[in-house]
Amino acid sequence: MTAPVHLALALDRAGWHPAAWRDASAAPHDLQSPHYWRRLVASADRAGLVLATIEDALSFTDRFEDAQHPASDRVRGRLDAVLVASYVAPLTQRIGLVPTVTTAHPEPFHVATGIQTLDFASRGRAGVRLVAGASPAERANFGRRPDGPGRLPASGRVEDAPELVAAFREAGEFAEVLTRLWDSWDDDAIVRDTSAGLFLDPDRVHPARFEGEFFSVEGASIVPRSPQGRPLITVLAHQTVPFRLAAEQADVVFVTPHDEASATGILAELDQAVAAHRRGRERLRVFADLVVLIEETPAAARAAAARLDDLAGSAFASDARIVIGTPLEVVDEIRALAATGVDGVRLRPARQPRDVVAVAERVVPLLDAFGGLVRDDRVSLRGRLGLARPTTTPTREKAFA
């Protein structure tokens, strides 16, 4: 018997392998089609996956790719992740929808209202994945910040690059502003008393009132408090500074162990960050990432991966562990991670839709047979992850004089 875990999916254009769009099973003509995204998310929804993240960026090239010399054999262009999530929200039933947002250029007010609207559209299944900082190409697209973070320093440590440390401080403020805006309406602020002519009780709407290093926000959200109260805040974290951001602000953190030993080490470091910075928040949920390429036999999987590598001109590499194999081999990896104590596993399909279908139709039934998949019929994403619906921050300051 396996300790049950949640299963999630990370969607990125044609898949996480850069040559995925050239696979025989790919649908390169459909990548900008709403039906493509609906089919992907609906497949994961029917299989019982707890959430799907949707990748996004703010530049033509991939993050930190050379914007002056973009490779022409990669997928270019993408749809806005928040809008994709909003489109599929009413077409799905239980799966959480978690679009990616970069914190350096969008205003937290706009993101807060967009994610609240997604929470209404999905009846309580919204979240957001925050990405700290911005690449040089992204900064050039906005033209407001000539300087900012680039690649990791030679040491590989975020703390050795002051501009990256500042970007994570900014992301922390961004998350704090989101929470304050989501809490700015009481649940009962809308009265709808037609006889008295009272739609809104202004005493139940409160200012976010935040003054920080990067953001200054005065008023309340324009969107009433949404079904979850606070949609989920999620981040991807690889090392100490991002772990601290997760501990301080996130509900869910995605991590990238390359084996069970490194998973144990990551969990221990996260525990230290939580002890130092969590300040009374609910327990942080931890999901481990796996890139998966799935075929019915090991030989077929290796051959498929080799074909993609040949098309790409180099061997596929990732920040996350890559599993090339059969559905049973993927299940074995999930079970091994579950034994380390993670709450869930987020699968990154190397090819879309092929590996999404394999996850839904082959991996999930096998994991179910081992008793390894958390099943929960609740609609709320917070509820499915065992997170309470927060009450509004206690304050009696009025937004309106």
Side-chain angles (χ1 to χ4, degrees):
M1 181 68 71
T2 300
V5 292
H6 291 285
L7 208 58
L9 199 64
L11 299 174
D12 185 17
R13 294 175 291 186
W16 287 80
H17 194 293
W21 69 279
R22 301 175 69 184
D23 186 78
S25 65
H29 296 289
D30 294 338
L31 296 182
Q32 286 75 49
S33 162
H35 307 296
Y36 171 79
W37 293 97
R38 182 189 67 195
R39 288 194 297 268
L40 290 175
V41 181
S43 177
D45 186 33
R46 289 191 298 270
L49 274 66
V50 69
L51 63 85
T53 60
I54 303 170
E55 293 300 300
D56 207 347
L58 298 174
S59 62
F60 175 76
T61 52
D62 290 340
R63 219 160 182 249
F64 304 126
E65 183 184 352
D66 183 357
Q68 301 304 313
H69 303 92
S72 60
D73 60 349
R74 303 292 189 266
V75 173
R76 299 301 178 195
R78 59 171 79 240
L79 301 184
D80 182 276
V82 175
L83 296 180
V84 168
S86 296
Y87 167 74
V88 300
L91 306 175
T92 51
Q93 298 298 316
R94 291 194 312 249
I95 192 167
L97 302 169
V98 184
T100 297
V101 170
T102 303
T103 60
H105 296 297
E107 292 295 331
F109 190 93
H110 290 143
V111 173
T113 58
I115 300 300
Q116 282 180 295
T117 302
L118 175 60
D119 206 38
F120 277 109
S122 63
R123 304 177 306 283
R125 295 182 283 126
V128 63
R129 187 175 81 84
L130 299 181
V131 175
S135 68
E138 289 172 322
R139 289 195 296 275
N141 281 343
F142 286 80
R144 295 200 305 255
R145 297 184 177 188
D147 300 317
R151 295 184 179 275
L152 281 171
S155 67
R157 297 192 302 266
V158 170
E159 57 264 36
D160 292 337
E163 66 278 9
L164 284 173
V165 174
F168 278 95
R169 290 201 309 274
E170 181 180 38
E173 285 194 6
F174 196 104
E176 176 68 23
V177 174
L178 291 184
T179 298
R180 292 192 184 206
L181 287 166
W182 292 338
D183 282 352
S184 62
W185 291 55
D186 292 347
D187 285 315
D188 57 356
I190 297 182
V191 179
R192 300 186 183 91
D193 187 339
T194 56
S195 60
L198 182 65
F199 184 84
L200 172 73
D201 182 349
D203 291 346
R204 301 175 192 174
V205 180
H206 316 286
R209 192 119 26 233
F210 180 86
E211 186 73 38
E213 179 183 358
F214 301 94
F215 300 106
S216 176
V217 177
E218 177 64 23
S221 176
I222 58 172
V223 180
R225 191 160 171 82
S226 68
Q228 291 186 103
R230 295 176 199 159
L232 262 66
I233 291 177
T234 76
V235 298
L236 173 68
H238 297 300
Q239 52 178 284
T240 302
V241 173
F243 288 161
R244 175 173 178 170
L245 171 65
E248 289 180 334
Q249 299 291 352
D251 300 293
V252 173
V253 60
F254 304 111
V255 297
T256 53
H258 283 261
D259 52 35
E260 290 76 60
S262 64
T264 301
I266 288 169
L267 289 171
E269 188 168 359
L270 277 170
D271 285 344
Q272 293 175 356
V274 165
H277 306 293
R278 193 69 175 169
R279 296 193 300 272
R281 292 172 62 96
E282 280 202 79
R283 182 177 65 82
L284 180 65
R285 272 45 173 181
V286 183
F287 278 60
D289 277 11
L290 288 176
V291 179
V292 293
L293 188 153
I294 306 168
E295 293 287 348
E296 287 304 307
T297 68
R302 290 192 298 270
R307 285 194 299 272
L308 291 179
D309 287 347
D310 286 344
L311 290 170
S314 62
F316 179 44
S318 173
D319 58 324
R321 178 170 170 76
I322 302 170
V323 181
I324 297 169
T326 66
L328 183 58
E329 287 173 317
V330 172
V331 168
D332 286 342
E333 292 286 346
I334 294 170
R335 296 176 70 202
L337 285 168
T340 69
V342 300
D343 298 284
V345 176
R346 183 175 69 146
L347 302 178
R348 306 182 190 178
R351 305 162 297 176
Q352 292 172 194
R354 188 181 189 97
D355 292 317
V356 174
V357 173
V359 167
E361 297 182 358
R362 301 288 284 117
V363 171
V364 167
L366 279 172
L367 190 59
D368 259 339
F370 287 109
L373 181 66
V374 174
R375 289 284 187 180
D376 194 321
D377 289 333
R378 284 176 287 188
V379 171
S380 162
L381 180 55
R382 296 189 73 90
R384 292 185 72 186
L385 292 174
L387 294 163
R389 186 182 187 280
T391 57
T392 53
T393 302
T395 175
R396 298 274 58 87
E397 187 178 3
K398 300 175 184 179
F400 308 101

